Amino acid sequence: MPTAEWNARWVRGLRRFRRADEDGHYGDHWGDTAISGLRYHWRRLLHGRESPGNLSKVVKRYLRPHVSPDSVVLEIGPGGGRWTQFLIGAREVVLVELNSQFFRYLRKRFRKHRRKLRFYETTGYELKGIDDGSIDFVFSFGTFVHIEAEGIAEYLGEIARVLRAGGTGTIQYADRDKPLIQTVPDWGGFSDMTASKMEDLVAGRGFEIVEHDRSLLDHSNVVVIRKPAAA
């Protein structure tokens, strides 16, 4: 389980980032979500596999279609807000983190939208501070890749509880079957997950799979799930 102590490495990175007064925002170095088309392919040729794949397509296909001005969305592991920026169009954004030290940074980054932000510090794979059936859309990128199957199963159970009937979720997770991840020493902290394992976990929590993209990213997959509508 990624403990608060393990997760603190990212907090230390945030502190160094702020001390150095770096341009942009913390987390952008893991891949630019705004680069697409020819710009993406040109950068890929110049710099190789600096990002896991075309992140702008994640935004276009698996995030934006689920966010509307009247929706309540929840993000697990927002970090510095690399993906949060695309969720701000919702009526309310619930941000869940293991380390609450990120909350100050997020409040400052999205200060114009602070009234729609709500923060919850989780103790692990729980969302106890979130009401049943109160969320329209759940999003997580860069977090589940570090969570083993048992933890993902627990989180999926909580997601099933907080999602309204018919609500959806987009989750990125690690895929150890992919050649790129197999070249990384000690798996780079990625969990022992595969596409078939994820499908079993999703089905076990009663979700429908809307889409399961196993080709867009080089070391991980994206699954879009839906909580069945009430009978």
Side-chain angles (χ1 to χ4, degrees):
M1 168 181 172
T3 63
E5 291 74 23
W6 180 90
N7 191 261
R9 69 173 70 182
W10 314 119
V11 177
R12 289 192 292 271
L14 173 62
R15 289 171 180 164
R16 287 193 295 270
F17 177 87
R18 298 184 74 171
R19 282 198 300 268
D21 195 26
E22 297 279 359
D23 293 331
H25 295 283
Y26 179 71
D28 291 351
H29 55 292
W30 287 309
D32 194 331
T33 54
I35 293 180
S36 62
L38 292 176
R39 286 180 63 215
Y40 166 76
H41 293 291
W42 177 245
R43 186 162 179 167
R44 186 95 158 177
L45 283 172
L46 289 177
H47 303 291
R49 297 177 181 268
E50 287 187 353
S51 75
N54 194 330
L55 302 182
S56 69
K57 289 186 177 180
V58 176
V59 177
K60 181 179 179 180
R61 297 176 183 176
Y62 308 123
L63 190 160
R64 279 197 171 126
H66 304 283
V67 178
S68 66
D70 60 349
S71 60
V72 178
V73 303
L74 183 150
E75 182 180 10
I76 299 173
R82 181 166 60 134
W83 301 92
T84 314
Q85 61 181 313
F86 304 108
L87 299 171
I88 287 296
R91 174 167 58 85
E92 184 177 13
V93 183
V94 183
L95 300 172
V96 176
E97 263 290 350
L98 193 60
N99 270 302
S100 62
Q101 295 169 75
F102 282 104
F103 295 161
R104 181 180 177 185
Y105 182 86
L106 292 166
R107 286 188 181 98
K108 183 176 180 181
R109 176 172 182 178
F110 302 110
R111 57 186 176 273
K112 293 182 179 179
H113 307 282
R114 62 185 179 276
R115 292 184 178 178
K116 66 170 62 178
L117 300 181
R118 181 153 58 98
F119 299 91
Y120 179 68
E121 182 180 6
T122 179
T123 59
Y125 311 127
E126 52 82 20
L127 302 171
K128 293 178 181 177
I130 315 300
D131 292 339
D132 294 4
S134 63
I135 304 297
D136 297 297
F137 175 58
V138 173
F139 180 84
S140 188
F141 194 104
T143 296
F144 280 67
V145 290
H146 302 298
I147 301 177
E148 297 296 341
E150 296 79 5
I152 291 177
E154 289 186 43
Y155 246 144
L156 287 172
E158 282 287 82
I159 290 171
R161 178 182 64 80
V162 302
L163 272 179
R164 64 169 177 78
T168 56
T170 293
I171 298 171
Q172 177 226 15
Y173 68 94
D175 186 349
R176 289 257 187 114
D177 285 339
K178 292 199 167 183
L180 179 61
I181 197 173
Q182 295 176 11
T183 67
V184 180
D186 299 322
W187 306 104
F190 277 37
S191 57
D192 186 15
M193 283 292 296
T194 63
S196 60
K197 284 183 181 181
M198 190 63 173
E199 290 184 351
D200 287 344
L201 292 175
V202 166
R205 292 301 183 179
F207 287 104
E208 303 167 347
I209 293 181
V210 177
E211 189 164 356
H212 196 176
D213 193 325
R214 287 166 281 187
S215 61
L216 179 61
L217 304 175
D218 297 327
H219 59 24
S220 56
N221 301 325
V222 175
V223 63
V224 182
I225 59 178
R226 178 187 294 123
K227 180 177 179 178

